Amino acid sequence: MSNYKIILSGGGTGGHIYPAIAIANELKSRYPDADFLFVGAKDRMEMEKVPQAGYDIRGLWISGIQRKLTLKNLSFPFKVISSLWKARKIIKSFKPDVAIGTGGFASGPLLKVAASNNIPTLIQEQNSYPGITNKLLSKKAKKICVAYDGLERFFPEDKIIKTGNPVRQGLLDIETKAVKAKDFFDLKHGKFTLLIIGGSLGSKRINELIEKELDFFDTQNIQIIWQCGKLYYQQYKIYKNTKDVQVYEFLNNMDLAYAAADIVISRAGAGSVSELCIVGKPVIFIPSPNVAEDHQTKNAMSIVNEDAALMIKEEDLEADFENKFSQLVASTEKQKQLGENIKKLALVNATKDIADEVEKLLNNSK
């Protein structure tokens, strides 16, 4: 029987949306007749990205609780009640055979309602340190697919399967794309290339750093692909095509961006970290300090501890950045070592392995 009904929830950032879409695509290739429905947060980017990928999505009125005392927090209990009520309606009318959550605000209410209706749930935990929602959901979940070791501190051990995080399939053979990639981005062949990725919305602190260091990069004879993010593009597009700098709001061709790069500067969101392991290029992580449980620093440290990347904390950028960066550029030996070590940490079959676990739940549910 292949006319299964599969409900998925993940959103808020690209790091939660793309894994959900990757899992859906893999399941669709196995069950072409299955029905898929996504559930997201009303005003977040999943409402645009999921339909672009060809799937239906419903929005819940939900957001995170702010860590600072703000008026926004007053509406939080009402949002929770509203989204649980709406999730209940969606589950009742769609009648899913399985519910999959990849993180983000909406997956909390959806998976909670699914589990209380005895629908098997699978959590895909992307980080080395889970957020509060997934810790709560794990009690009722049937399977928890993780990307790091040591998560039995937070989750029931018998439910954990180490699969890795789903990544875009185009990243698996970037070695063959270097020449095409340089042409695509209008870069000079043979010139050292730096790729900067600050997440789908962009990173204020990384953008400020790059702007300040443009002359320094010029003295190092480096060309740049700078993904500054949706929120900052208007501010930084003036640098486009100056001193071999290419500025982008968003990179749709990540495989080519990685293929063109010699060194990558990146945030340490779980999705980016997993992709960079597969890509196997030397990386300098600048973790965002403004995320739950400081999980980006923990994600980055898990790579740094394997001697597979460098990390500079935001507060140390002034003091350390130029020194650490120029040392890395000067040492092809160090670049090679970091690239090789990070590639050893890659889990390339994550999407397939997660879909296998979903398939087991589907078979059991019938």
Side-chain angles (χ1 to χ4, degrees):
M1 169 165 176
S2 60
N3 51 342
Y4 288 117
K5 289 176 172 261
I6 297 166
I7 201 163
L8 302 101
S9 181
T13 66
H16 294 309
I17 298 165
Y18 294 120
I21 291 172
I23 295 166
N25 289 344
E26 174 64 28
L27 289 166
K28 198 174 175 61
S29 72
R30 299 182 187 194
Y31 300 111
D33 301 334
D35 286 337
F36 291 87
L37 180 64
F38 278 72
V39 175
K42 252 191 180 129
D43 49 356
R44 305 297 291 236
M45 65 189 276
E46 57 265 30
M47 300 311 287
E48 177 196 337
K49 298 289 176 198
V50 169
Q52 280 173 5
Y55 295 102
D56 286 343
I57 185 164
R58 307 276 163 78
L60 305 180
W61 183 48
I62 185 75
S63 61
I65 192 153
Q66 308 289 319
R67 274 169 201 77
K68 300 182 276 293
L69 279 171
T70 73
L71 287 171
K72 276 187 180 160
N73 280 346
L74 291 176
S75 67
F76 183 71
F78 299 102
K79 287 182 175 179
V80 170
I81 292 162
S82 152
S83 57
L84 284 167
W85 181 78
K86 179 126 190 232
R88 213 164 266 133
K89 279 181 68 172
I90 292 169
I91 294 268
K92 209 174 161 181
S93 70
F94 186 67
K95 298 188 177 64
D97 295 296
V98 68
I100 300 161
T102 59
F105 307 135
S107 67
L110 184 85
L111 263 66
K112 185 174 173 21
V113 171
S116 66
N117 281 289
N118 294 322
I119 291 155
T121 61
L122 178 142
I123 296 171
Q124 199 260 318
E125 172 55 66
Q126 292 143 16
N127 292 297
S128 57
Y129 195 95
I132 188 158
T133 311
N134 277 356
K135 284 186 208 162
L136 292 170
L137 291 170
S138 70
K139 295 178 178 53
K140 291 276 182 72
K142 292 275 188 248
K143 303 268 182 175
I144 304 160
C145 295
V146 302
Y148 294 93
D149 293 322
L151 274 92
E152 54 284 343
R153 306 202 309 278
F154 311 106
F155 297 140
E157 197 169 345
D158 56 333
K159 297 180 181 180
I160 297 175
I161 295 120
K162 188 178 176 188
T163 55
N165 287 325
V167 297
R168 293 168 255 220
Q169 286 305 290
L171 302 181
L172 298 177
D173 55 345
I174 62 160
E175 286 83 9
T176 60
K177 298 179 185 174
V179 174
K180 180 184 167 188
K182 291 259 167 82
D183 291 340
F184 179 85
F185 287 107
D186 224 4
L187 297 165
K188 297 185 171 108
H189 292 272
K191 186 169 182 174
F192 201 90
T193 306
L194 168 65
L195 169 65
I196 294 126
I197 22 182
S200 41
L201 299 172
S203 152
K204 181 170 185 283
R205 186 66 189 90
I206 289 180
N207 288 334
E208 288 167 356
L209 169 80
I210 300 308
E211 181 176 42
K212 179 176 154 285
E213 301 293 355
L214 284 174
D215 289 339
F216 163 72
F217 291 135
D218 199 39
T219 63
Q220 299 263 320
N221 194 28
I222 284 169
Q223 57 190 351
I224 298 172
I225 304 172
W226 178 7
Q227 187 244 317
C228 65
K230 192 176 179 170
L231 303 176
Y232 305 98
Y233 183 66
Q234 292 309 318
Q235 187 180 345
Y236 293 107
K237 66 179 184 187
I238 52 165
Y239 296 109
K240 205 171 172 71
N241 301 325
T242 58
K243 292 184 176 168
D244 281 343
V245 180
Q246 312 279 351
V247 185
Y248 292 89
E249 176 181 326
F250 191 78
L251 291 166
N252 285 318
N253 300 78
M254 276 317 294
D255 57 332
L256 296 180
Y258 288 131
D262 293 296
I263 287 181
V264 182
I265 291 175
S266 175
R267 282 296 199 206
S272 303
V273 173
S274 298
E275 290 196 346
L276 288 160
C277 289
I278 284 173
V279 165
K281 299 276 169 106
V283 183
I284 299 173
F285 286 118
I286 303 174
S288 168
N290 323 312
V291 291
E293 281 103 1
D294 196 23
H295 66 238
Q296 286 207 2
T297 302
K298 297 179 174 105
N299 292 346
M301 281 310 300
S302 68
I303 307 295
V304 172
N305 291 340
E306 302 293 330
D307 201 12
L310 302 178
M311 177 177 91
I312 308 174
K313 290 192 165 186
E314 280 194 358
E315 69 247 33
D316 301 331
L317 286 170
E318 293 297 319
D320 293 351
F321 179 77
E322 289 190 6
N323 188 12
K324 278 194 170 177
F325 183 83
S326 45
Q327 279 179 6
L328 182 57
V329 172
S331 169
T332 47
E333 193 51 41
K334 184 71 177 166
Q335 291 168 38
K336 187 166 175 285
Q337 179 199 1
L338 291 178
E340 284 172 2
N341 287 352
I342 199 168
K343 219 171 166 64
K344 287 178 195 154
L345 304 174
L347 294 164
V348 293
N349 296 321
T351 313
K352 198 176 108 344
D353 293 346
I354 294 164
D356 288 348
E357 295 304 325
V358 175
E359 207 165 309
K360 287 177 200 165
L361 294 178
L362 289 170
N363 292 336
N364 291 345
S365 74
K366 292 297 172 199

